[in-house]
Each structure stands twice: as C-alpha cells, then as structure tokens.
Amino acid sequence: MKCVLIASENAEVLFYWADLDFEQSIREQYGALQEEGPMAFEDSINTLFAPIIISCSTMIDRICDNYTSFSTENNHVYVLQQFEECLYIGVCGDGEENEEDLKRKIYVLKKLIEIHYGMVTLSSSLLRKELRPHDRDQRNHLWRKFQSLLGTYSHLKEQDQSFLVEAVERLIHPTLCEQCIEFLERRLVQQINSSTERAGEEVLHAFILVHTKLLAFYSSRNASTLTSSDLLALILMVQNQFPSNSDLEDMSPEDIENNSAPDVFYTPEPSPTSKDSEDSLQTLEVPPPDPSMPSRVFLEVTSKDGFCPMMPHSMYCLTLWPGITLVLLTKVPNSQLATSVYFFLDSFSQLERRLNEVQDGTSVSRSQHSLHDLRNKLDKFIRLQNAWAEFKSKVFSRSGPGVSRELLPCCKNMKTCLCGVYRHYFLVETTRSSQRLSSSLQERAQQSVQEKLLDWKDFLLVKSKRNITMVSYPEFPGLIHFMYVDRTAGQMIAPSINVTDRSTSELGKGPLAHFVKNKVWSFVEMARRYLQKGYTTVTLRDGDYYLCYFLWFENETGYKLEVLDPPTLRDYSAPIGMLASDYYRKLLRYYSKSHNAEVVKCYELLSVHLGVIPTEYILQHCCQLARKLWEPSRIPLL
C-alpha cells in the first residue's frame, strides 16, 4: 500500500503514483467509485493530502522548519521532503518500505524530473506548467510516464545488484569491449558527425547496453565526462522504454544457443479490467514513442565554457535486438545558451543568499565587483530586457532602493525569467522542431552495430545473466557472494544472483538463492546505516553466515591510504548512493582535502562467507579479493 506525491505550495497535486491497494483504500474512504475517471481519484488524493501540505507550508512560514517523517496509528509511514517550493511525499502502509526506502524513492523521482526538465525545475511556477498541463489527456500521459519510470526503478532496485548499490555494472569481456569501443569511435560516431544528415547535432557519447549492463562506452574528444549518476539514470530510462525479457532468465545457455531470444518483453502483471483499478501502476500503458524521435535529457557538463549541471542533450535509443540497445547522446544547437543561463541563475541565487543575511533597513554596497560584472554580461543578454530593466532601475538608479531586502522579489522574477528562456529554447522549441538525426542515418547506425554484434548476440544475452560466477574464484573457499564497487568510476563487479525457481545456479535452486539474495539486500541497507554514522567497516555473524563490509581509499597506484572516518550524516540527509544523491563524490572531495598532492580513489567491498570459516581467513580473503579485483576495474569505462 504505497503512494508518492508532488504538491505545490498551493496544495495542488503536480504528480502522484499509487499502487492498487492505496487506490482502493482512497476510493473506499472518499467514495470515488461513484464517479468515473482519473480526475475523481485525483480530487480524492488532493483531499487526503491537503491538510499535510498546508501544515508543512504553515510550519515553514512561521518557524522556518518542517517535519521530515511521521507514522500514524494505523502504521502508515509518511516521509516528506521540501525541494524549493515543491513538497514531495512518500507513503507506505504495508511495511514493505521503511523511511529510508521512501526517502530514496523521493530523491530518485527528483533526479528523473531534473533529467527531463533541466533548470526549469528551479522555478516552481514553470515546473507546475510542465508537470500539470491543462489538457487532461496530456497530463495523464505525462503522469503515466513518470509512474512507469518509478515502477521500473522499484523493480530494478529489488532485482538488479547495480541498482541496489547504485553503480554501473560492466559486461566483463575485455576483448569484445575494446573492439566495440573502437567500432563506436571509427565506424559510428565519426561517420555520423561527418554526415550532412545530422541536422546540426553532434554525437558526444555512444554506448551499448545489454539489459542493464554496459558493454561499451565511447565519448568524443570534445565531450565532457558523463557522470555515473547521469549514466545510471539513463540506463533506467532505457530499461523503462525497452524492458528486459524475463523469460530469458529461465533459459539455459544451451537453450539460448538453439533459440533466438523471443520478442517478448517484461511487463508488469496485468491488472483487473474493472473501472475501480483505473490509473494504477499495473494499468499503465504509455504509448510507444516514435523510434526516430529523440528524448530531450539534461545532463551535468563541465567544459572550457564553464559548468552547467543541466545541459540539454538529445538521446536516441536504437534497439538492436530485444535486450540489446544502442544509445546516442548528441549535443543540440544553441546548447551553449544553457551555460549562460546557469551562470546568471547562480549569480542571482548568490545575491539572494546575501540579501537574506542582511538585516532589515540596511543595504549592501552596489559597488561590488560581482554586481557590475553581472550587469555587463546581462546587458548583452537581450532576451530579458523587461525584467532586467526593472532590476537595474532598483539597483543602479539613484531613486532605487539599492541592494537591500526589497530586491528579493526582483531576484525571484529574474530567476523565473531566466528559467523561462531556458524552457522556451530547450523544451518548447524541441516539441515544435523536427531537427534531429535523419531516420535513414539512425537506421544505418543501427544496422552497422547489428552487423558488428550479430555473431555475439546470443552470447551477450547469456553473459548479461551470468556475467561473473563464483566458479571464477576457487581460491576463496567458503566465499558465497561478494560485491566490489569502484566509487570513483561508479562501477561495480559482482557474481550473478539467479533466483528463478526453474533454473539451478551456484547458490542452488529457488529458495536457497532467494535466501542468500535477501541476505545481501538487507546487509547493503545495514552497511549504509553504519556508513551514515561514520563507520567504514562492518563485520557481522548472522546465523550460518559471516558478513563483511569495507570502505577504503587508495591512491592512483593502488596504495591504501590511512583511514579517515567520514562525516556523520543526519537522519534527514540525502540517502547514501549515486543515483538518488551523489554521496560518494562528496565523500571523495572531503577526503581529498588532506591529500592535495595525489589522486584519491574510493572503493567498497561486501562479502558473504559461510560462518564455519575462521574469522582470520575471512579477513584474509577480503584483502586478497580486493587486490585481485583491483586490476580488472581499471578497464576504462569512458
């Protein structure tokens, strides 16, 4: 019984997702069954949450504080998170998700919205127009899209180790990986970028996915590094558009060799056809997009022109075969405008912070260098003449109030106008424009990669399910499972866990595999709780098993650096991870302050041993395993 909601400061629902149980509870409580259609249910959702939303707004206005979670008498858990002027609420009433799970889901939803709308998310009034369009059909379609993404994320988090630890898993086959990277560079990206059919777009990144695993990734020389957080979010979006074939998990390698992968995709369990189940996750059927139409995504970029956390890109997803996808990320025309908009937005945000620190009745000197620099640059930015003229009249004219708190409304207006410019060029114009890589160019790219991988197709599909097995590590008796994560590169290595009832794996068949999987999933959650408190080592005997978790730092040559306890996090801090929030990048910055002269790298290792193995051997195994895995992890991702 779960629900996730986004509401405006006016208690208006901007988005919701609810499972069937939650929907049924709402309909019984508010009698929505008497009326048909999603709008009746939306009104009921709004009625249920309005007191909570108004209460939060009142607390913020009166005491500048808010509650972040609470539980009710019927054991419903509520988690609340305020982002700018939007309130995110997560609810669980069946005990399957705790506060940390709900908080993580909220942050993932925020990340997905940022990927889709970029800096428009910095203006609540503009974001409201995007998330809650007036046209009901358009609104339902949009909400179903994000509901589907949340459903895909929840599924992957429960089934896929890479989404459990929030790191990218590479397909381990160095020879094929290198061949594909070279192919992407010389036969694909260069040919597309030299073609007259690219309509002004330039391919910056190209990568091949086998289900959720990365086979090869290539970035052009003038491209910014793609962050692990963005890459994982893109993999989630691709998996949502082209869901994995669940039947493949139950097929043996021999079956795959004798049969081509069937064209059947994973879909959620069908819901009842009655009207009372309308608009739920199980009934979501988002119409398939035009294959040749790219998606607009906004990604972090650091270039010679400056930093932009939400640079517009076009993403082309070209399915090669069921389960294997080619993804192209292109630079769009006029994208440098986003860097300028972000510079101005950041400048006004800094000015707002300074003004909020000023006492009432006082003012800040307007002769500051930053203000004059901002004035010179904005005078050339002719797209904001009206708002900028009002701002200048209040700051630089003799009759104006100067740089005082009276300027705060003008700052907010300027930021809204800047976000409006951004929205016009990178969202509105995108829907009107037909400018993209031509369909024939996309088809040729698709066909060339298919020809390259034709003989490898069946092998790759099997490999994605049996990427690494414990048979590869016979020198570690008693080791049942491990997860090794390079947090600097955002990559992970782990043996496959097959939990299907019809297939036999190293962990046994069905129940035993499920048992070990649940141990791993619960221990990852426990390790995060200890890391949040500042512990980098956890060892635990749990029944017949011995569980270990280590986080450590090394320099570029692999020399282990001295232990430095990470800062403790408050309960309401962003969840530890890389998709929900890039915790490890912040941790590396914190640790690097005391190692300015060298490159610092961060690693994690989680292991599960049989409890009969002596402790000293288990710790020795962990050290040896880390050394063994360190070298393969240096295979370049980008």
Side-chain angles (χ1 to χ4, degrees):
M1 188 169 177
K2 306 175 185 66
C3 179
V4 178
L5 179 90
I6 304 177
S8 69
E9 58 182 348
N10 299 322
E12 187 178 37
V13 175
L14 302 182
F15 167 78
Y16 80 88
W17 168 86
D19 65 4
L20 279 175
D21 291 336
F22 196 92
E23 283 195 12
Q24 186 64 28
S25 174
I26 295 298
R27 294 179 189 279
E28 291 175 356
Q29 182 176 355
Y30 292 99
L33 286 172
Q34 299 176 4
E35 301 180 46
E36 298 181 3
M39 299 308 298
F41 182 77
E42 184 184 325
D43 292 339
S44 299
I45 282 276
N46 192 74
T47 303
L48 173 67
F49 285 98
I52 300 174
I53 299 167
I54 294 171
S55 173
C56 289
S57 300
T58 304
M59 290 186 67
I60 293 174
D61 290 339
R62 295 188 178 181
I63 64 175
C64 298
D65 202 354
N66 198 5
Y67 44 84
T68 57
S69 65
F70 63 86
S71 57
T72 60
E73 290 183 351
N74 60 356
N75 295 321
H76 282 55
V77 178
Y78 287 71
V79 172
L80 304 94
Q81 189 72 46
Q82 188 84 27
F83 296 113
E84 299 295 333
E85 296 172 1
C86 292
L87 179 65
Y88 288 61
I89 304 176
V91 186
C92 180
D94 53 20
E96 294 182 356
E97 293 182 333
N98 56 30
E99 290 184 14
E100 194 67 19
D101 295 326
L102 292 173
K103 184 168 63 173
R104 187 175 299 277
K105 185 180 291 185
I106 285 173
Y107 272 84
V108 169
L109 175 58
K110 177 176 178 287
K111 174 72 175 180
L112 291 171
I113 289 176
E114 289 174 344
I115 287 279
H116 281 83
Y117 297 116
M119 281 182 269
V120 172
T121 58
L122 303 180
S123 169
S124 59
S125 60
L126 295 180
L127 181 60
R128 178 195 173 281
K129 294 179 181 179
E130 296 297 334
L131 290 180
R132 191 181 173 86
H134 292 297
D135 183 80
R136 291 182 178 181
D137 291 337
Q138 185 181 357
R139 186 193 313 171
N140 290 335
H141 174 78
L142 176 67
W143 285 8
R144 286 171 181 167
K145 177 181 179 180
F146 282 105
Q147 288 165 351
S148 179
L149 284 167
L150 272 182
T152 299
Y153 165 73
S154 297
H155 173 76
L156 292 175
K157 180 176 174 290
E158 293 301 319
Q159 302 298 329
D160 195 302
Q161 295 180 93
S162 64
F163 280 86
L164 170 67
V165 299
E166 296 187 5
V168 177
E169 183 174 5
R170 292 179 296 107
L171 212 60
I172 305 299
H173 195 292
T175 302
L176 180 59
C177 172
E178 293 175 4
Q179 290 179 1
C180 288
I181 292 174
E182 182 178 359
F183 179 85
L184 291 177
E185 177 185 10
R186 298 183 179 181
R187 295 286 305 279
L188 191 77
V189 175
Q190 289 184 3
Q191 289 188 10
I192 293 177
N193 289 344
S194 61
S195 172
T196 58
E197 300 177 51
R198 62 187 178 95
E201 296 200 344
E202 176 189 355
V203 177
L204 299 177
H205 308 281
F207 56 95
I208 301 171
L209 292 173
V210 184
H211 295 302
T212 60
K213 296 177 178 61
L214 188 66
L215 172 62
F217 191 110
Y218 171 74
S219 295
S220 62
R221 289 175 176 80
N222 58 341
S224 172
T225 300
L226 187 63
T227 67
S228 302
S229 175
D230 284 346
L231 179 56
L232 201 62
L234 296 179
I235 293 175
L236 169 59
M237 292 171 60
V238 174
Q239 189 65 17
N240 182 68
Q241 185 174 345
F242 304 109
S244 292
N245 180 356
S246 59
D247 292 340
L248 183 63
E249 298 180 8
D250 297 331
M251 299 178 69
S252 66
E254 292 76 16
D255 293 332
I256 295 290
E257 290 178 1
N258 297 327
N259 300 278
S260 299
D263 295 336
V264 179
F265 292 90
Y266 167 85
T267 54
E269 183 180 350
S271 61
T273 56
S274 59
K275 293 179 181 179
D276 62 340
S277 65
E278 186 176 352
D279 218 29
S280 66
L281 171 63
Q282 282 76 8
T283 59
L284 296 178
E285 294 183 1
V286 179
D290 179 357
S292 65
M293 179 64 72
S295 301
R296 177 56 48 88
V297 293
F298 298 89
L299 312 172
E300 181 179 312
V301 165
T302 301
S303 65
K304 61 181 180 180
D305 297 326
F307 172 74
C308 181
M310 302 172 189
M311 179 71 77
H313 293 72
S314 290
M315 181 172 76
Y316 297 82
C317 298
L318 309 177
T319 178
L320 305 176
W321 298 280
I324 306 179
T325 310
L326 169 67
V327 181
L328 305 175
L329 293 173
T330 66
K331 176 183 178 181
V332 300
N334 298 323
S335 59
Q336 67 277 6
L337 176 64
T339 304
S340 300
V341 170
Y342 175 71
F343 170 80
F344 295 133
L345 278 171
D346 186 55
S347 299
F348 281 105
S349 295
Q350 293 180 31
L351 178 58
E352 272 187 326
R353 286 193 291 269
R354 292 204 303 270
L355 293 176
N356 280 314
E357 296 170 358
V358 174
Q359 299 294 326
D360 289 334
T362 60
S363 62
V364 180
S365 172
R366 64 187 179 193
S367 61
Q368 297 182 38
H369 173 73
S370 58
L371 268 179
H372 282 276
D373 182 54
L374 180 64
R375 178 183 183 178
N376 293 334
K377 291 181 178 178
L378 263 175
D379 280 338
K380 302 174 183 177
F381 202 73
I382 60 174
R383 300 175 180 87
L384 300 167
Q385 287 304 306
N386 293 334
W388 178 229
E390 179 189 2
F391 185 90
K392 284 196 297 183
S393 68
K394 294 190 175 182
V395 178
F396 298 104
S397 68
R398 293 183 179 180
S399 59
V403 187
S404 65
R405 292 178 67 89
E406 296 178 38
L407 200 60
L408 282 171
C410 290
C411 275
K412 184 176 181 179
N413 185 37
M414 281 298 303
K415 291 172 65 176
T416 301
C417 289
L418 284 164
C419 290
V421 171
Y422 183 93
R423 175 178 179 268
H424 174 77
Y425 280 93
F426 303 123
L427 287 177
V428 176
E429 286 296 325
T430 300
T431 59
R432 299 174 182 170
S433 174
S434 60
Q435 188 176 38
R436 61 180 184 268
L437 300 180
S438 69
S439 298
S440 60
L441 187 59
Q442 294 182 49
E443 290 173 2
R444 291 199 299 272
Q446 184 181 36
Q447 291 171 2
S448 65
V449 181
Q450 284 176 326
E451 292 173 1
K452 169 67 178 177
L453 295 178
L454 182 61
D455 294 336
W456 293 91
K457 177 188 67 171
D458 295 338
F459 167 80
L460 290 173
L461 293 172
V462 175
K463 183 68 172 173
S464 69
K465 300 299 179 183
R466 312 286 190 273
N467 194 22
I468 295 178
T469 64
M470 288 305 301
V471 175
S472 306
Y473 301 90
E475 65 269 41
F476 303 115
L479 177 63
I480 297 176
H481 191 70
F482 69 85
M483 302 178 77
Y484 176 82
V485 190
D486 179 348
R487 287 299 181 185
T488 310
Q491 305 174 39
M492 61 88 67
I493 299 174
S496 304
I497 295 184
N498 193 326
V499 297
T500 56
D501 295 331
R502 288 178 287 174
S503 61
T504 302
S505 68
E506 302 163 51
L507 297 177
K509 194 171 185 177
L512 179 58
H514 274 287
F515 181 79
V516 175
K517 172 184 176 293
N518 292 336
K519 287 283 184 188
V520 173
W521 258 246
S522 61
F523 188 54
V524 168
E525 183 178 348
M526 179 187 296
R528 282 172 174 159
R529 290 199 300 268
Y530 277 98
L531 183 57
Q532 183 177 0
K533 298 176 182 178
Y535 295 93
T536 58
T537 300
V538 180
T539 58
L540 172 69
R541 185 179 294 276
D542 184 6
D544 296 329
Y545 300 92
Y546 200 91
L547 311 174
C548 296
Y549 167 79
F550 304 95
L551 181 143
W552 71 97
F553 298 90
E554 296 178 2
N555 62 17
E556 205 167 15
T557 63
Y559 177 78
K560 188 174 180 181
L561 303 175
E562 71 276 9
V563 176
L564 181 65
D565 292 336
T568 58
L569 302 178
R570 299 177 183 238
D571 291 338
Y572 55 79
S573 300
I576 290 175
M578 300 185 79
L579 177 60
S581 64
D582 209 338
Y583 165 81
Y584 293 94
R585 183 159 60 167
K586 298 174 184 175
L587 183 61
L588 277 163
R589 289 172 183 167
Y590 170 81
Y591 195 89
S592 297
K593 291 179 181 178
S594 57
H595 294 80
N596 294 327
E598 54 188 339
V599 176
V600 176
K601 297 180 177 292
C602 178
Y603 300 90
E604 286 179 309
L605 177 66
L606 181 146
S607 68
V608 181
H609 282 79
L610 290 174
V612 296
I613 306 298
T615 306
E616 59 270 21
Y617 287 116
I618 291 176
L619 297 178
Q620 182 181 355
H621 282 180
C622 291
C623 292
Q624 293 174 346
L625 184 61
R627 284 196 295 268
K628 180 181 179 69
L629 293 169
W630 184 79
E631 193 62 34
S633 71
R634 302 189 70 183
I635 297 173
L637 171 67
L638 303 177

